Amino acid sequence: MKTVVVSMGVSGYPGSRQLEDIPCAHQDAHNLHKSLRLGLGDTYDMWRSITMQDPSANEALALLTLTSRILRSEDLLVIYFSGHARLRRSTLMLACSDALDDGRGHLAVSDLANACAEVNAALILDCCHSGAAASLANRPNLLTPTTLSVLASSAAFSTAEHLPEGSPFTSALIGVIEDASVTGSELSLVALAKELNSGKGAQDRCVVNVAEGNDDVVLIREQRDLIAAKETADRFVGKLESADRVARELMWYSAAELPQAYQSVLVGEIASSRIAGEASWLVRRAIGSFLDSQPGHSRIRNDVALRLISSEDWMEVCVGLIGARHLLGTDGGLRTAALSVLESYMPANATWLASMYLTDCGEYDFECVERSQLVKTSWGLMEVLEHFRASEKGDQWLSAWVLDLARVTGEEGVYLDVATHLSMNGFVLPSRVVARPISEDPLFKYLYSLEPRGRLSSASGKWLMSGLFGNWRRDGRSNLRAYAESRRPSAVLRSLEQLGALPSVTLRTAVLLDPWVSEHLDRTDVVLGWGLTDDHPWVRRAAVELAGDGRLGPVTDALIDLARRPGLFDLLLTLGDLGGDTLSLLELIEVTPVEQAALARDGS
């Protein structure tokens, strides 16, 4: 038995003055189809299933007629429609993209039923008056059987609700389907309607009518491999305990290739087993990327992400933010939780991610950012500037805003760093503001002229790109070999010696990671002179990697409050890997029992 899904969403009605556009219809049709595909598993027919956007009445009818002819008697056809509909002489007319106010461009559900008369079909309607189609499931007479079952979002004389973010009926429908796919339980049309009518916010009850002569229609059959999925998840979690952090990172990226039922069970384990408390940024990023890869309307994924973002453990918060990064623009609960993180005193690892992902989704809350710990350091102010470049304020306003925030810190070094960074990035400074003289150094200008790495569209290569270029989206590029080829070596060394005053943390890090630097001892010594004492953990960590295990002395400074700069734990892990003195540094900072356990897991 196979299940064929034909999902139709009509958003635009250019030929009608009476019918307003329904922007969410396309997305609803896509999301409903996707949830069914995942829930149906092996019974889903990928070759004959389709999502149609803005079909005309003739196109919709022709497709349904053709699809019905090629189905077998044991197959099931699921038809979904989201759009406008009208009642004409007690007949429900589905308004297609060519709908006119005189009635043309409408598909009568009776014609739809005739097209599917020879196959088992389930018609799901999310439109006004959809309950009027329920009678299609009744036999027209004693001699004519019917094979069509109907699930309608509203009663015959009720209207449907289509909000900008999606239809409440379809969103609830997707939630029930996805819950069934995770639990592995059977889901029938009657059970589906019962769940929808008993759920929170169920006002206009949906209507269900099964084809007369049948008890019910099974949409999703019980998943026999659920036990295997749970066993796999248990084994996965068990392996994490004994694997090193590199293996854990790769395990999470590989988990995205498991069958969806296995992935869904594993999503629940992320919060319940407290396995998101990872000291390593790369492992946290891998877990969050796995969470982010789950279906777009996954209620379980959203619940887990919210629980993580609301955690007291900043490591779990980071995983939740990464997993929810594409939802912050549409999910109010997740957005509110992320804004709370931004204003908190959590380590900058979490507040920085909250700022970046909120602005990625178009959330430019200037007042909230002004109350965050990010604006207390030159690094944080530069990051905030980058995050807000896409806002409508404009460069002139942004530069004045950031300079004002730098002035509020009361630290001259912060103000000069920000002013120099603005100047190097082409911002026009006020006449009274002067950048550091070192901004005239040709190597400084060269480094600022290079574009950063940029974000990756796919998670599959992140672990490799991190090893080649660095761990963050905006890691700088240095390409010092190309620069040095046309300069005198002594001049290049003098410039390298001054790079500790370079305002950009990402560029200082890029210089230390550049293979050209490690090829000659003089270059290495010059950059380590400032790199091993840098006040930012990202830079210090790159210097530790460059120095290696033979040149690491005791750490005598505690760097800075965890709430102000990210990456301290990754520095500790790197020091531990190279035999460095992590105990000296741990004695200078205070860690919580949860943080201590996460560090101890990797031997730091």
Side-chain angles (χ1 to χ4, degrees), residues 151-155 169 172-173 176 189-208:
L151 176 64
S153 64
S154 61
F169 168 78
L173 186 67
V176 176
L189 209 60
V190 172
L192 181 56
K194 184 178 180 180
E195 285 289 327
L196 292 173
N197 286 331
S198 63
K200 294 180 179 179
Q203 298 173 354
D204 293 331
R205 292 181 174 272
C206 65
V207 176
V208 64

PDB file of all heavy atoms in Angstrom, residues 151-155 169 172-173 176 189-208:
ATOM      1  N   LEU A 151     -12.238  15.601   5.964  1.00  0.00           N
ATOM      2  CA  LEU A 151     -11.894  16.305   7.201  1.00  0.00           C
ATOM      3  C   LEU A 151     -11.910  17.794   6.881  1.00  0.00           C
ATOM      4  O   LEU A 151     -11.129  18.265   6.040  1.00  0.00           O
ATOM      5  CB  LEU A 151     -10.518  15.883   7.719  1.00  0.00           C
ATOM      6  CG  LEU A 151     -10.008  16.632   8.956  1.00  0.00           C
ATOM      7  CD1 LEU A 151     -10.913  16.355  10.156  1.00  0.00           C
ATOM      8  CD2 LEU A 151      -8.565  16.261   9.275  1.00  0.00           C
ATOM      9  N   ALA A 152     -12.809  18.531   7.520  1.00  0.00           N
ATOM     10  CA  ALA A 152     -13.001  19.944   7.217  1.00  0.00           C
ATOM     11  C   ALA A 152     -12.620  20.793   8.420  1.00  0.00           C
ATOM     12  O   ALA A 152     -12.878  20.421   9.570  1.00  0.00           O
ATOM     13  CB  ALA A 152     -14.454  20.215   6.823  1.00  0.00           C
ATOM     14  N   SER A 153     -12.025  21.956   8.162  1.00  0.00           N
ATOM     15  CA  SER A 153     -11.555  22.830   9.241  1.00  0.00           C
ATOM     16  C   SER A 153     -12.676  23.552   9.953  1.00  0.00           C
ATOM     17  O   SER A 153     -12.494  24.048  11.068  1.00  0.00           O
ATOM     18  CB  SER A 153     -10.556  23.853   8.684  1.00  0.00           C
ATOM     19  OG  SER A 153     -11.195  24.713   7.740  1.00  0.00           O
ATOM     20  N   SER A 154     -13.850  23.647   9.319  1.00  0.00           N
ATOM     21  CA  SER A 154     -14.942  24.421   9.922  1.00  0.00           C
ATOM     22  C   SER A 154     -16.289  23.836   9.499  1.00  0.00           C
ATOM     23  O   SER A 154     -16.369  23.016   8.584  1.00  0.00           O
ATOM     24  CB  SER A 154     -14.849  25.886   9.488  1.00  0.00           C
ATOM     25  OG  SER A 154     -14.960  25.997   8.075  1.00  0.00           O
ATOM     26  N   ALA A 155     -17.324  24.290  10.168  1.00  0.00           N
ATOM     27  CA  ALA A 155     -18.675  23.857   9.818  1.00  0.00           C
ATOM     28  C   ALA A 155     -19.118  24.513   8.512  1.00  0.00           C
ATOM     29  O   ALA A 155     -18.458  25.422   7.998  1.00  0.00           O
ATOM     30  CB  ALA A 155     -19.644  24.217  10.948  1.00  0.00           C
ATOM     31  N   PHE A 169      -5.621  25.865  12.055  1.00  0.00           N
ATOM     32  CA  PHE A 169      -6.064  24.496  11.807  1.00  0.00           C
ATOM     33  C   PHE A 169      -4.932  23.651  11.239  1.00  0.00           C
ATOM     34  O   PHE A 169      -4.644  22.545  11.720  1.00  0.00           O
ATOM     35  CB  PHE A 169      -7.253  24.499  10.845  1.00  0.00           C
ATOM     36  CG  PHE A 169      -7.610  23.135  10.306  1.00  0.00           C
ATOM     37  CD1 PHE A 169      -8.317  22.228  11.081  1.00  0.00           C
ATOM     38  CD2 PHE A 169      -7.232  22.755   9.021  1.00  0.00           C
ATOM     39  CE1 PHE A 169      -8.637  20.957  10.591  1.00  0.00           C
ATOM     40  CE2 PHE A 169      -7.546  21.506   8.520  1.00  0.00           C
ATOM     41  CZ  PHE A 169      -8.256  20.609   9.311  1.00  0.00           C
ATOM     42  N   ALA A 172      -2.130  23.032  13.791  1.00  0.00           N
ATOM     43  CA  ALA A 172      -2.507  21.988  14.746  1.00  0.00           C
ATOM     44  C   ALA A 172      -2.484  20.614  14.087  1.00  0.00           C
ATOM     45  O   ALA A 172      -2.061  19.617  14.697  1.00  0.00           O
ATOM     46  CB  ALA A 172      -3.887  22.279  15.313  1.00  0.00           C
ATOM     47  N   LEU A 173      -2.924  20.553  12.855  1.00  0.00           N
ATOM     48  CA  LEU A 173      -2.923  19.303  12.093  1.00  0.00           C
ATOM     49  C   LEU A 173      -1.503  18.753  11.970  1.00  0.00           C
ATOM     50  O   LEU A 173      -1.247  17.564  12.196  1.00  0.00           O
ATOM     51  CB  LEU A 173      -3.521  19.569  10.713  1.00  0.00           C
ATOM     52  CG  LEU A 173      -3.749  18.395   9.770  1.00  0.00           C
ATOM     53  CD1 LEU A 173      -4.814  17.472  10.310  1.00  0.00           C
ATOM     54  CD2 LEU A 173      -4.147  18.926   8.386  1.00  0.00           C
ATOM     55  N   VAL A 176      -0.212  17.282  15.326  1.00  0.00           N
ATOM     56  CA  VAL A 176      -0.717  15.942  15.649  1.00  0.00           C
ATOM     57  C   VAL A 176      -0.022  14.886  14.792  1.00  0.00           C
ATOM     58  O   VAL A 176       0.345  13.804  15.275  1.00  0.00           O
ATOM     59  CB  VAL A 176      -2.244  15.876  15.447  1.00  0.00           C
ATOM     60  CG1 VAL A 176      -2.757  14.466  15.686  1.00  0.00           C
ATOM     61  CG2 VAL A 176      -2.945  16.857  16.384  1.00  0.00           C
ATOM     62  N   LEU A 189      -8.162   9.117  10.540  1.00  0.00           N
ATOM     63  CA  LEU A 189      -8.857  10.375  10.295  1.00  0.00           C
ATOM     64  C   LEU A 189      -9.733  10.759  11.487  1.00  0.00           C
ATOM     65  O   LEU A 189      -9.773  11.930  11.901  1.00  0.00           O
ATOM     66  CB  LEU A 189      -9.713  10.245   9.025  1.00  0.00           C
ATOM     67  CG  LEU A 189      -9.956  11.523   8.217  1.00  0.00           C
ATOM     68  CD1 LEU A 189      -8.641  12.103   7.736  1.00  0.00           C
ATOM     69  CD2 LEU A 189     -10.865  11.234   7.029  1.00  0.00           C
ATOM     70  N   VAL A 190     -10.423   9.794  12.063  1.00  0.00           N
ATOM     71  CA  VAL A 190     -11.282  10.071  13.220  1.00  0.00           C
ATOM     72  C   VAL A 190     -10.440  10.471  14.427  1.00  0.00           C
ATOM     73  O   VAL A 190     -10.768  11.427  15.151  1.00  0.00           O
ATOM     74  CB  VAL A 190     -12.155   8.850  13.554  1.00  0.00           C
ATOM     75  CG1 VAL A 190     -12.899   9.061  14.869  1.00  0.00           C
ATOM     76  CG2 VAL A 190     -13.146   8.581  12.424  1.00  0.00           C
ATOM     77  N   ALA A 191      -9.339   9.754  14.667  1.00  0.00           N
ATOM     78  CA  ALA A 191      -8.453  10.087  15.786  1.00  0.00           C
ATOM     79  C   ALA A 191      -7.837  11.473  15.599  1.00  0.00           C
ATOM     80  O   ALA A 191      -7.670  12.229  16.566  1.00  0.00           O
ATOM     81  CB  ALA A 191      -7.358   9.036  15.911  1.00  0.00           C
ATOM     82  N   LEU A 192      -7.521  11.798  14.373  1.00  0.00           N
ATOM     83  CA  LEU A 192      -6.958  13.109  14.058  1.00  0.00           C
ATOM     84  C   LEU A 192      -7.952  14.206  14.403  1.00  0.00           C
ATOM     85  O   LEU A 192      -7.612  15.212  15.049  1.00  0.00           O
ATOM     86  CB  LEU A 192      -6.573  13.162  12.585  1.00  0.00           C
ATOM     87  CG  LEU A 192      -5.949  14.448  12.037  1.00  0.00           C
ATOM     88  CD1 LEU A 192      -4.713  14.835  12.828  1.00  0.00           C
ATOM     89  CD2 LEU A 192      -5.580  14.273  10.571  1.00  0.00           C
ATOM     90  N   ALA A 193      -9.200  14.029  13.990  1.00  0.00           N
ATOM     91  CA  ALA A 193     -10.233  15.022  14.291  1.00  0.00           C
ATOM     92  C   ALA A 193     -10.454  15.149  15.793  1.00  0.00           C
ATOM     93  O   ALA A 193     -10.649  16.257  16.320  1.00  0.00           O
ATOM     94  CB  ALA A 193     -11.529  14.642  13.585  1.00  0.00           C
ATOM     95  N   LYS A 194     -10.413  14.014  16.481  1.00  0.00           N
ATOM     96  CA  LYS A 194     -10.604  14.040  17.932  1.00  0.00           C
ATOM     97  C   LYS A 194      -9.496  14.842  18.613  1.00  0.00           C
ATOM     98  O   LYS A 194      -9.758  15.634  19.528  1.00  0.00           O
ATOM     99  CB  LYS A 194     -10.635  12.605  18.464  1.00  0.00           C
ATOM    100  CG  LYS A 194     -10.917  12.507  19.953  1.00  0.00           C
ATOM    101  CD  LYS A 194     -10.978  11.056  20.402  1.00  0.00           C
ATOM    102  CE  LYS A 194     -11.259  10.957  21.899  1.00  0.00           C
ATOM    103  NZ  LYS A 194     -11.320   9.540  22.343  1.00  0.00           N
ATOM    104  N   GLU A 195      -8.272  14.651  18.177  1.00  0.00           N
ATOM    105  CA  GLU A 195      -7.147  15.395  18.729  1.00  0.00           C
ATOM    106  C   GLU A 195      -7.284  16.891  18.452  1.00  0.00           C
ATOM    107  O   GLU A 195      -7.037  17.724  19.324  1.00  0.00           O
ATOM    108  CB  GLU A 195      -5.831  14.879  18.143  1.00  0.00           C
ATOM    109  CG  GLU A 195      -5.365  13.555  18.700  1.00  0.00           C
ATOM    110  CD  GLU A 195      -4.873  13.683  20.132  1.00  0.00           C
ATOM    111  OE1 GLU A 195      -4.320  14.745  20.482  1.00  0.00           O
ATOM    112  OE2 GLU A 195      -5.070  12.741  20.904  1.00  0.00           O
ATOM    113  N   LEU A 196      -7.677  17.213  17.247  1.00  0.00           N
ATOM    114  CA  LEU A 196      -7.814  18.623  16.875  1.00  0.00           C
ATOM    115  C   LEU A 196      -8.914  19.303  17.683  1.00  0.00           C
ATOM    116  O   LEU A 196      -8.766  20.465  18.095  1.00  0.00           O
ATOM    117  CB  LEU A 196      -8.106  18.743  15.377  1.00  0.00           C
ATOM    118  CG  LEU A 196      -6.974  18.344  14.423  1.00  0.00           C
ATOM    119  CD1 LEU A 196      -7.469  18.364  12.988  1.00  0.00           C
ATOM    120  CD2 LEU A 196      -5.788  19.287  14.591  1.00  0.00           C
ATOM    121  N   ASN A 197     -10.009  18.617  17.907  1.00  0.00           N
ATOM    122  CA  ASN A 197     -11.133  19.225  18.618  1.00  0.00           C
ATOM    123  C   ASN A 197     -10.921  19.285  20.129  1.00  0.00           C
ATOM    124  O   ASN A 197     -11.616  20.022  20.821  1.00  0.00           O
ATOM    125  CB  ASN A 197     -12.424  18.449  18.319  1.00  0.00           C
ATOM    126  CG  ASN A 197     -12.938  18.723  16.918  1.00  0.00           C
ATOM    127  OD1 ASN A 197     -12.717  19.799  16.369  1.00  0.00           O
ATOM    128  ND2 ASN A 197     -13.603  17.747  16.334  1.00  0.00           N
ATOM    129  N   SER A 198      -9.956  18.520  20.619  1.00  0.00           N
ATOM    130  CA  SER A 198      -9.696  18.546  22.060  1.00  0.00           C
ATOM    131  C   SER A 198      -8.487  19.377  22.415  1.00  0.00           C
ATOM    132  O   SER A 198      -8.183  19.568  23.589  1.00  0.00           O
ATOM    133  CB  SER A 198      -9.476  17.120  22.577  1.00  0.00           C
ATOM    134  OG  SER A 198      -8.323  16.549  21.978  1.00  0.00           O
ATOM    135  N   GLY A 199      -7.784  19.889  21.399  1.00  0.00           N
ATOM    136  CA  GLY A 199      -6.571  20.648  21.649  1.00  0.00           C
ATOM    137  C   GLY A 199      -6.844  22.037  22.178  1.00  0.00           C
ATOM    138  O   GLY A 199      -7.969  22.533  22.162  1.00  0.00           O
ATOM    139  N   LYS A 200      -5.776  22.664  22.669  1.00  0.00           N
ATOM    140  CA  LYS A 200      -5.894  24.021  23.188  1.00  0.00           C
ATOM    141  C   LYS A 200      -6.268  24.980  22.067  1.00  0.00           C
ATOM    142  O   LYS A 200      -5.738  24.917  20.965  1.00  0.00           O
ATOM    143  CB  LYS A 200      -4.575  24.454  23.821  1.00  0.00           C
ATOM    144  CG  LYS A 200      -4.203  23.651  25.060  1.00  0.00           C
ATOM    145  CD  LYS A 200      -2.888  24.145  25.638  1.00  0.00           C
ATOM    146  CE  LYS A 200      -2.522  23.350  26.886  1.00  0.00           C
ATOM    147  NZ  LYS A 200      -1.238  23.789  27.460  1.00  0.00           N
ATOM    148  N   GLY A 201      -7.153  25.885  22.358  1.00  0.00           N
ATOM    149  CA  GLY A 201      -7.548  26.903  21.388  1.00  0.00           C
ATOM    150  C   GLY A 201      -8.486  26.409  20.326  1.00  0.00           C
ATOM    151  O   GLY A 201      -8.741  27.102  19.336  1.00  0.00           O
ATOM    152  N   ALA A 202      -9.008  25.197  20.478  1.00  0.00           N
ATOM    153  CA  ALA A 202      -9.950  24.668  19.488  1.00  0.00           C
ATOM    154  C   ALA A 202     -11.301  25.354  19.677  1.00  0.00           C
ATOM    155  O   ALA A 202     -12.015  25.103  20.626  1.00  0.00           O
ATOM    156  CB  ALA A 202     -10.090  23.160  19.651  1.00  0.00           C
ATOM    157  N   GLN A 203     -11.639  26.264  18.776  1.00  0.00           N
ATOM    158  CA  GLN A 203     -12.885  27.022  18.891  1.00  0.00           C
ATOM    159  C   GLN A 203     -13.926  26.451  17.933  1.00  0.00           C
ATOM    160  O   GLN A 203     -14.845  25.763  18.351  1.00  0.00           O
ATOM    161  CB  GLN A 203     -12.606  28.497  18.597  1.00  0.00           C
ATOM    162  CG  GLN A 203     -11.618  29.114  19.589  1.00  0.00           C
ATOM    163  CD  GLN A 203     -11.221  30.515  19.209  1.00  0.00           C
ATOM    164  OE1 GLN A 203     -11.580  31.012  18.145  1.00  0.00           O
ATOM    165  NE2 GLN A 203     -10.475  31.180  20.085  1.00  0.00           N
ATOM    166  N   ASP A 204     -13.763  26.727  16.660  1.00  0.00           N
ATOM    167  CA  ASP A 204     -14.665  26.130  15.670  1.00  0.00           C
ATOM    168  C   ASP A 204     -14.213  24.697  15.438  1.00  0.00           C
ATOM    169  O   ASP A 204     -13.155  24.451  14.876  1.00  0.00           O
ATOM    170  CB  ASP A 204     -14.611  26.924  14.356  1.00  0.00           C
ATOM    171  CG  ASP A 204     -15.190  28.319  14.528  1.00  0.00           C
ATOM    172  OD1 ASP A 204     -16.067  28.472  15.386  1.00  0.00           O
ATOM    173  OD2 ASP A 204     -14.739  29.228  13.820  1.00  0.00           O
ATOM    174  N   ARG A 205     -15.024  23.769  15.893  1.00  0.00           N
ATOM    175  CA  ARG A 205     -14.634  22.374  15.797  1.00  0.00           C
ATOM    176  C   ARG A 205     -14.573  21.914  14.347  1.00  0.00           C
ATOM    177  O   ARG A 205     -15.421  22.263  13.539  1.00  0.00           O
ATOM    178  CB  ARG A 205     -15.613  21.501  16.586  1.00  0.00           C
ATOM    179  CG  ARG A 205     -15.522  21.723  18.097  1.00  0.00           C
ATOM    180  CD  ARG A 205     -16.499  20.827  18.832  1.00  0.00           C
ATOM    181  NE  ARG A 205     -16.308  20.933  20.271  1.00  0.00           N
ATOM    182  CZ  ARG A 205     -15.452  20.196  20.964  1.00  0.00           C
ATOM    183  NH1 ARG A 205     -14.727  19.298  20.339  1.00  0.00           N
ATOM    184  NH2 ARG A 205     -15.327  20.333  22.260  1.00  0.00           N
ATOM    185  N   CYS A 206     -13.541  21.136  14.054  1.00  0.00           N
ATOM    186  CA  CYS A 206     -13.442  20.602  12.704  1.00  0.00           C
ATOM    187  C   CYS A 206     -14.477  19.491  12.530  1.00  0.00           C
ATOM    188  O   CYS A 206     -14.993  18.926  13.487  1.00  0.00           O
ATOM    189  CB  CYS A 206     -12.033  20.102  12.426  1.00  0.00           C
ATOM    190  SG  CYS A 206     -11.521  18.706  13.421  1.00  0.00           S
ATOM    191  N   VAL A 207     -14.764  19.187  11.284  1.00  0.00           N
ATOM    192  CA  VAL A 207     -15.809  18.221  10.932  1.00  0.00           C
ATOM    193  C   VAL A 207     -15.164  17.042  10.221  1.00  0.00           C
ATOM    194  O   VAL A 207     -14.309  17.220   9.337  1.00  0.00           O
ATOM    195  CB  VAL A 207     -16.868  18.861  10.017  1.00  0.00           C
ATOM    196  CG1 VAL A 207     -17.896  17.833   9.581  1.00  0.00           C
ATOM    197  CG2 VAL A 207     -17.534  20.034  10.727  1.00  0.00           C
ATOM    198  N   VAL A 208     -15.532  15.819  10.611  1.00  0.00           N
ATOM    199  CA  VAL A 208     -15.011  14.633   9.949  1.00  0.00           C
ATOM    200  C   VAL A 208     -16.180  13.743   9.556  1.00  0.00           C
ATOM    201  O   VAL A 208     -17.162  13.620  10.286  1.00  0.00           O
ATOM    202  CB  VAL A 208     -14.018  13.870  10.863  1.00  0.00           C
ATOM    203  CG1 VAL A 208     -14.696  13.344  12.106  1.00  0.00           C
ATOM    204  CG2 VAL A 208     -13.351  12.736  10.091  1.00  0.00           C
TER     205      VAL A 208
END
